[in-house]
């Protein structure tokens, strides 16, 4: 588990188990996905992209309710954020491009899109064909292709992305120039519970 001083520690195993049990179609992205490829840099939150159908977003909302999701809002304490009236249903989740949540299993972000190197917004349907199925934190999950993760960090151009990119480029070069196959299996993850 990764400790977050502002909230509950990140429990990736619990989040994945809950999403899988609710049969949510999703991709792991962001820092957790980088960890799945072997990056040692820890992350404070779990990032995912879910298929945007009403049925799937309803399942995602149910999974998030089980994890006691509440909005993560700058300037509010967790106790104050818990008092906000929030709907966790397909309609509400579909309306949000990026939503940041705090759950009993740690911070959890849901993204509708991820940028490529040109800044084009790619959704779940654009990325899933390149995703890799891996065994991660005791679950079978789909993780966005490493090349897509690198591209999104290059586009974001934040200091934390600049720090993460050399390691990700090194991992990618050791993997070779061929994209990973969807059946590729990685086990373990730095920073995973």
């Amino acid at each position: 588990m990764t400790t977050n001083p502002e909230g509950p520690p990140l429990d990736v195993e619990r989040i994945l188990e809950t999403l899988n049990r609710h049969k949510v179609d999703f991709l792991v992205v962001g820092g957790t996905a980088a960890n799945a490829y072997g990056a040692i840099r820890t992350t404070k939150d779990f990032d995912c992209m879910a298929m945007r159908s009403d049925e799937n977003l309803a399942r995602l909302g149910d999974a998030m309710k089980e994890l006691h999701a509440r909005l993560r809002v700058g300037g509010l304490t967790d106790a104050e954020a818990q008092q906000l009236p929030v709907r966790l249903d397909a309609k509400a989740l579909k309306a949000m491009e990026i939503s940041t949540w705090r759950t009993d299993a740690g911070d959890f972000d849901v993204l509708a899109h991820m940028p490529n190197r040109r800044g084009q917004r790619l959704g779940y349907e654009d990325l899933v064909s390149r995703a890799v199925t891996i065994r991660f934190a005791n679950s079978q999950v789909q993780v966005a292709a490493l090349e897509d993760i690198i591209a999104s960090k290059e586009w974001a151009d934040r200091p934390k992305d600049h720090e993460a990119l050399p390691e990700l480029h090194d991992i990618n070069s050791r993997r070779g120039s061929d994209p990973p196959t969807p059946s590729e299996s990685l086990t373990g993850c730095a920073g995973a519970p």
Side-chain angles (χ1 to χ4, degrees), residues 66-95:
E66 182 179 323
L67 293 168
H68 302 114
R70 58 264 187 200
L71 284 172
R72 192 171 79 237
V73 181
L76 294 183
T77 66
D78 191 36
E80 291 168 332
Q82 288 182 43
Q83 301 306 312
L84 295 173
V86 177
R87 284 189 359 222
L88 270 170
D89 59 17
K91 184 177 180 181
L93 289 169
K94 191 171 263 191

Side-chain angles (χ1 to χ4, degrees), residues 141-157:
V141 295
Q142 293 233 286
V143 178
L146 182 56
E147 197 55 42
D148 289 326
I149 295 163
I150 290 170
S152 72
K153 290 188 174 295
E154 288 175 346
W155 177 257
D157 200 30

Side-chain angles (χ1 to χ4, degrees), residues 33-91:
N35 289 152
Y37 283 103
I40 59 171
R41 206 176 152 75
T42 59
T43 184
K44 293 181 181 177
D45 60 14
F46 178 89
D47 298 322
C48 78
M49 294 179 70
M51 183 172 61
R52 305 291 287 172
S53 72
D54 289 343
E55 296 80 11
N56 193 60
L57 291 176
R59 291 191 298 267
L60 174 61
D62 289 343
M64 292 172 69
K65 287 175 194 170
E66 182 179 323
L67 293 168
H68 302 114
R70 58 264 187 200
L71 284 172
R72 192 171 79 237
V73 181
L76 294 183
T77 66
D78 191 36
E80 291 168 332
Q82 288 182 43
Q83 301 306 312
L84 295 173
V86 177
R87 284 189 359 222
L88 270 170
D89 59 17
K91 184 177 180 181

Side-chain angles (χ1 to χ4, degrees), residues 83-139:
Q83 301 306 312
L84 295 173
V86 177
R87 284 189 359 222
L88 270 170
D89 59 17
K91 184 177 180 181
L93 289 169
K94 191 171 263 191
M96 298 181 206
E97 288 290 314
I98 299 174
S99 57
T100 58
W101 304 88
R102 177 148 293 152
T103 75
D104 292 349
D107 291 350
F108 184 107
D109 297 345
V110 180
L111 290 71
H113 300 96
M114 198 167 80
N116 65 13
R117 284 186 176 88
R118 297 181 309 277
Q120 179 185 6
R121 297 178 336 155
L122 303 177
Y124 173 90
E125 291 75 13
D126 301 311
L127 300 172
V128 71
S129 65
R130 296 188 298 271
V132 179
T133 302
I134 62 172
R135 180 111 181 118
F136 176 63
N138 294 319
S139 293

